mmCIF file of all heavy atoms in Angstrom:
data_model
loop_
_atom_site.group_PDB
_atom_site.id
_atom_site.type_symbol
_atom_site.label_atom_id
_atom_site.label_comp_id
_atom_site.label_asym_id
_atom_site.label_seq_id
_atom_site.Cartn_x
_atom_site.Cartn_y
_atom_site.Cartn_z
ATOM 1 N N THR P 227 85.002 233.962 183.738
ATOM 2 C CA THR P 227 85.612 233.751 185.043
ATOM 3 C C THR P 227 86.941 233.020 184.869
ATOM 4 O O THR P 227 87.237 232.461 183.803
ATOM 5 C CB THR P 227 84.698 232.914 185.942
ATOM 6 O OG1 THR P 227 84.594 231.588 185.384
ATOM 7 C CG2 THR P 227 83.311 233.534 186.047
ATOM 8 N N LEU P 228 87.716 232.988 185.927
ATOM 9 C CA LEU P 228 88.996 232.274 185.896
ATOM 10 C C LEU P 228 88.775 230.786 185.627
ATOM 11 O O LEU P 228 89.539 230.169 184.865
ATOM 12 C CB LEU P 228 89.743 232.481 187.210
ATOM 13 C CG LEU P 228 91.120 231.831 187.316
ATOM 14 C CD1 LEU P 228 92.064 232.361 186.240
ATOM 15 C CD2 LEU P 228 91.721 232.083 188.703
ATOM 16 N N ASP P 229 87.747 230.204 186.217
ATOM 17 C CA ASP P 229 87.469 228.786 185.982
ATOM 18 C C ASP P 229 87.126 228.533 184.513
ATOM 19 O O ASP P 229 87.496 227.486 183.953
ATOM 20 C CB ASP P 229 86.327 228.304 186.882
ATOM 21 C CG ASP P 229 86.782 228.074 188.313
ATOM 22 O OD1 ASP P 229 88.012 227.982 188.538
ATOM 23 O OD2 ASP P 229 85.927 227.981 189.210
ATOM 24 N N GLU P 230 86.412 229.461 183.878
ATOM 25 C CA GLU P 230 86.081 229.302 182.460
ATOM 26 C C GLU P 230 87.321 229.439 181.589
ATOM 27 O O GLU P 230 87.448 228.760 180.560
ATOM 28 C CB GLU P 230 85.015 230.318 182.056
ATOM 29 C CG GLU P 230 83.638 229.979 182.623
ATOM 30 C CD GLU P 230 82.626 231.085 182.486
ATOM 31 O OE1 GLU P 230 83.029 232.273 182.469
ATOM 32 O OE2 GLU P 230 81.417 230.785 182.397
ATOM 33 N N VAL P 231 88.254 230.290 181.985
ATOM 34 C CA VAL P 231 89.524 230.391 181.265
ATOM 35 C C VAL P 231 90.286 229.075 181.378
ATOM 36 O O VAL P 231 90.829 228.569 180.385
ATOM 37 C CB VAL P 231 90.366 231.557 181.805
ATOM 38 C CG1 VAL P 231 91.778 231.516 181.241
ATOM 39 C CG2 VAL P 231 89.702 232.892 181.478
ATOM 40 N N ARG P 232 90.354 228.526 182.565
ATOM 41 C CA ARG P 232 91.035 227.243 182.746
ATOM 42 C C ARG P 232 90.375 226.145 181.924
ATOM 43 O O ARG P 232 91.056 225.304 181.324
ATOM 44 C CB ARG P 232 91.035 226.877 184.235
ATOM 45 C CG ARG P 232 91.996 227.712 185.078
ATOM 46 C CD ARG P 232 91.799 227.445 186.540
ATOM 47 N NE ARG P 232 92.847 228.066 187.352
ATOM 48 C CZ ARG P 232 92.657 228.506 188.592
ATOM 49 N NH1 ARG P 232 91.467 228.398 189.164
ATOM 50 N NH2 ARG P 232 93.659 229.059 189.261
ATOM 51 N N TYR P 233 89.058 226.141 181.890
ATOM 52 C CA TYR P 233 88.336 225.159 181.079
ATOM 53 C C TYR P 233 88.728 225.299 179.614
ATOM 54 O O TYR P 233 88.980 224.296 178.930
ATOM 55 C CB TYR P 233 86.832 225.375 181.253
ATOM 56 C CG TYR P 233 85.979 224.550 180.322
ATOM 57 C CD1 TYR P 233 85.720 223.207 180.584
ATOM 58 C CD2 TYR P 233 85.422 225.123 179.178
ATOM 59 C CE1 TYR P 233 84.930 222.443 179.726
ATOM 60 C CE2 TYR P 233 84.643 224.368 178.314
ATOM 61 C CZ TYR P 233 84.401 223.035 178.593
ATOM 62 O OH TYR P 233 83.633 222.284 177.734
ATOM 63 N N PHE P 234 88.766 226.527 179.110
ATOM 64 C CA PHE P 234 89.142 226.772 177.717
ATOM 65 C C PHE P 234 90.544 226.252 177.417
ATOM 66 O O PHE P 234 90.758 225.551 176.419
ATOM 67 C CB PHE P 234 89.059 228.274 177.429
ATOM 68 C CG PHE P 234 89.718 228.703 176.146
ATOM 69 C CD1 PHE P 234 89.202 228.322 174.919
ATOM 70 C CD2 PHE P 234 90.864 229.499 176.178
ATOM 71 C CE1 PHE P 234 89.811 228.725 173.730
ATOM 72 C CE2 PHE P 234 91.476 229.903 175.001
ATOM 73 C CZ PHE P 234 90.954 229.507 173.775
ATOM 74 N N VAL P 235 91.488 226.568 178.280
ATOM 75 C CA VAL P 235 92.873 226.143 178.055
ATOM 76 C C VAL P 235 92.985 224.624 178.086
ATOM 77 O O VAL P 235 93.599 224.006 177.202
ATOM 78 C CB VAL P 235 93.814 226.781 179.100
ATOM 79 C CG1 VAL P 235 95.224 226.193 179.001
ATOM 80 C CG2 VAL P 235 93.857 228.296 178.916
ATOM 81 N N ASP P 236 92.379 223.992 179.085
ATOM 82 C CA ASP P 236 92.446 222.531 179.189
ATOM 83 C C ASP P 236 91.768 221.856 177.995
ATOM 84 O O ASP P 236 92.261 220.855 177.464
ATOM 85 C CB ASP P 236 91.795 222.060 180.487
ATOM 86 C CG ASP P 236 92.611 222.428 181.719
ATOM 87 O OD1 ASP P 236 93.798 222.775 181.562
ATOM 88 O OD2 ASP P 236 92.051 222.387 182.837
ATOM 89 N N LEU P 237 90.621 222.396 177.568
ATOM 90 C CA LEU P 237 89.902 221.811 176.440
ATOM 91 C C LEU P 237 90.717 221.945 175.155
ATOM 92 O O LEU P 237 90.766 221.006 174.344
ATOM 93 C CB LEU P 237 88.542 222.485 176.280
ATOM 94 C CG LEU P 237 87.578 221.838 175.289
ATOM 95 C CD1 LEU P 237 87.173 220.450 175.758
ATOM 96 C CD2 LEU P 237 86.345 222.716 175.081
ATOM 97 N N CYS P 238 91.352 223.092 174.959
ATOM 98 C CA CYS P 238 92.219 223.279 173.787
ATOM 99 C C CYS P 238 93.314 222.221 173.758
ATOM 100 O O CYS P 238 93.553 221.568 172.735
ATOM 101 C CB CYS P 238 92.839 224.668 173.804
ATOM 102 S SG CYS P 238 91.724 226.003 173.316
#
Side-chain angles (χ1 to χ4, degrees):
T227 66
L228 182 60
D229 283 344
E230 288 168 331
V231 170
R232 287 172 171 149
Y233 172 79
F234 166 68
V235 172
D236 290 344
L237 190 65
C238 284

